[in-house]
Amino acid sequence: MPAKKSVPAKTSGPAEKAASAAKSAPAKKAASAAKSAPAKKAVAATGKKAVAAPAKKAVAGTAKKATPGKKAASAERTAPAKPPRNESHTALVRRARRINRELAEVYPYAHPELDFENPFQLVVATVLSAQTTDLRVNQTTPALFAKYPTPEDLAAANPEEVEEILRPTGFFRAKTKSVMGLSKALRDDFGGEVPGRLEDLVKLPGVGRKTAFVVLGNAFGRPGITVDTHFQRLVRRWEWTAEKEPDKIERAIGELFPKTDWTMLSHHVIFHGRRICHARKPACGACPIAPLCPAYGEGETDPEKAKKLLKYEKGGFPGQRLNPPQSYLDAGGIPAPPLGAPASTSASPEPESVPAAPTSPPPASPAAPAPGSPSRGTG
């Protein structure tokens, strides 16, 4: 019968279980709470981050859209929209022509920047403009044309005397041979007159297609594209063409514009290359066509810093012509000083390689204003 005496132990089981459950419940809840707390915190933290990230991105996106074409103080602001990478030919034509229209509004006074009064002076000045600035040529040619006004005069000149006059332009010996050689060719083959055909002009010593188109476009009113160093640099920056040879660039750009635009297109592009879109430090922050330029950001994008990079009339400096057109003067342009004369304002920026002016007295300033041509100069 000892087994029956163990019944009371069974009755005490539920009490023990209840007590055990009562004791273990807080422990389980605490353990469960301890386990769930990090999870809840993690979820809460994740949720906050998920909400905050889109908000920040949305704000950044708004800032980017609000300031196209300018560099903002905030690092979140970016460059203007660039042309599509796979731009169609039609889209390229439209963008190129729009750039030209924009430049025409910025430079309504765009003009050839060599002083000349007739085709002979223009062809000589253009040959002399190689490896120097139009400014230096304009300061040098008054003395040359005062002494040798016609091809016959220059053809019969003393080479040493011509070299002395042309010394400030650099490479004066080679240039003396070229201008005297083309003068002899004009005298002997063309009756002392500059021909108005491309095939004849390129036969003259020192005259290539670039010089020929300068003469045709500005002395004879016949359309031509002047592919100088500025033109080559800008059309590649704008992704109008990837060609590097002048002849191929000329053909590629000619396909984008009607012939009637070619001469003024050259002036617009060259003006922009000299004043704003420089080779080493483009003034991107002051560029009026920044939203259309695939190369935006290669130069200074801060508007205030970019303004300090502007040259010629855009920067308040003298221009390259001693006798610029009236439209240029009306726009605030300042004529360049004669050779040897100090400028009335800060000197116009020039490359360091430009030869120093000679100590001889400055020549008399030429007469009435006349158009000129773009040069290969790096100014």
Side-chain angles (χ1 to χ4, degrees):
M1 302 306 294
K4 292 182 179 179
K5 291 181 180 179
S6 63
V7 172
K10 289 182 180 180
T11 58
S12 64
E16 289 178 357
K17 286 181 180 180
S20 175
K23 290 180 181 179
S24 64
K28 288 181 180 179
K29 287 182 181 179
S32 176
K35 290 179 181 179
S36 64
K40 288 181 180 178
K41 287 182 181 179
V43 171
T46 306
K48 288 180 182 178
K49 288 182 181 179
V51 172
K56 288 183 180 178
K57 288 182 180 179
V59 172
T62 304
K64 289 178 183 178
K65 291 180 181 178
T67 56
K70 297 180 181 178
K71 179 181 178 182
S74 171
E76 293 178 348
R77 297 185 181 182
T78 59
K82 294 182 179 181
R85 183 169 298 178
N86 298 322
E87 189 176 40
S88 67
H89 180 73
T90 300
L92 171 60
V93 170
R94 290 175 178 172
R95 182 169 63 88
R97 294 185 182 185
R98 183 179 172 188
I99 287 176
N100 187 39
R101 290 195 300 270
E102 295 284 343
L103 294 180
E105 293 183 5
V106 177
Y107 310 106
Y109 47 80
H111 58 274
E113 294 193 87
L114 285 172
D115 285 322
F116 75 93
E117 297 177 358
N118 55 57
F120 170 64
Q121 291 186 2
L122 176 56
V123 70
V124 170
T126 308
V127 170
L128 296 178
S129 69
Q131 305 301 320
T132 190
T133 61
D134 284 354
L135 170 61
R136 184 61 72 199
V137 174
N138 291 336
Q139 291 174 327
T140 305
T141 52
L144 179 70
F145 296 139
K147 192 168 186 178
Y148 311 107
T150 68
E152 292 81 2
D153 295 327
L154 188 53
N158 183 336
E160 293 181 359
E161 294 179 0
V162 177
E163 287 178 0
E164 191 60 29
I165 295 174
L166 300 184
R167 185 180 295 272
T169 66
F171 304 98
F172 57 93
R173 291 189 179 89
K175 290 180 180 180
T176 295
K177 291 180 181 179
S178 293
V179 298
M180 291 188 67
L182 73 86
S183 296
K184 292 176 182 177
L186 292 175
R187 179 195 62 189
D188 299 339
D189 301 332
F190 298 99
E193 299 291 335
V194 176
R197 298 195 310 166
L198 176 65
E199 53 268 31
D200 293 330
L201 285 169
V202 294
K203 294 177 182 178
L204 300 174
V207 177
R209 289 180 66 87
K210 185 204 73 128
T211 299
F213 280 126
V214 168
V215 176
L216 290 174
N218 298 286
F220 294 98
R222 297 177 182 174
I225 296 177
T226 303
V227 185
D228 73 345
T229 54
H230 302 287
F231 194 94
Q232 293 183 49
R233 180 178 75 253
L234 267 61
V235 297
R236 286 199 295 269
R237 272 185 179 168
W238 295 337
E239 296 183 7
W240 287 3
T241 181
E243 299 291 351
K244 295 183 179 180
E245 297 178 15
D247 292 358
K248 293 182 179 179
I249 292 174
E250 176 194 321
R251 287 193 293 271
I253 304 306
E255 293 177 356
L256 303 179
F257 296 89
K259 285 187 177 182
T260 53
D261 291 350
W262 288 359
T263 299
M264 287 309 300
L265 168 70
S266 301
H267 294 328
H268 294 153
V269 174
I270 293 169
F271 254 59
H272 192 63
R274 285 176 170 165
R275 285 149 179 79
I276 295 179
C277 195
H278 312 133
R280 286 174 290 184
K281 291 184 179 180
C284 294
C287 181
I289 60 167
L292 301 171
C293 181
Y296 176 87
E298 287 187 6
E300 180 57 62
T301 55
D302 182 83
E304 294 303 319
K305 293 180 180 179
K307 286 181 182 178
K308 297 179 181 179
L309 300 175
L310 302 180
K311 295 184 178 181
Y312 303 110
E313 77 283 346
K314 291 295 182 184
F317 299 105
Q320 301 203 82
R321 293 187 62 170
L322 279 69
N323 294 292
Q326 188 60 44
S327 60
Y328 179 76
L329 299 175
D330 293 341
I334 306 170
L339 189 64
S344 57
T345 61
S346 300
S348 178
E350 289 188 53
E352 295 178 359
S353 60
V354 174
T359 56
S360 58
S365 178
S373 75
S375 77
R376 290 175 51 193
T378 55

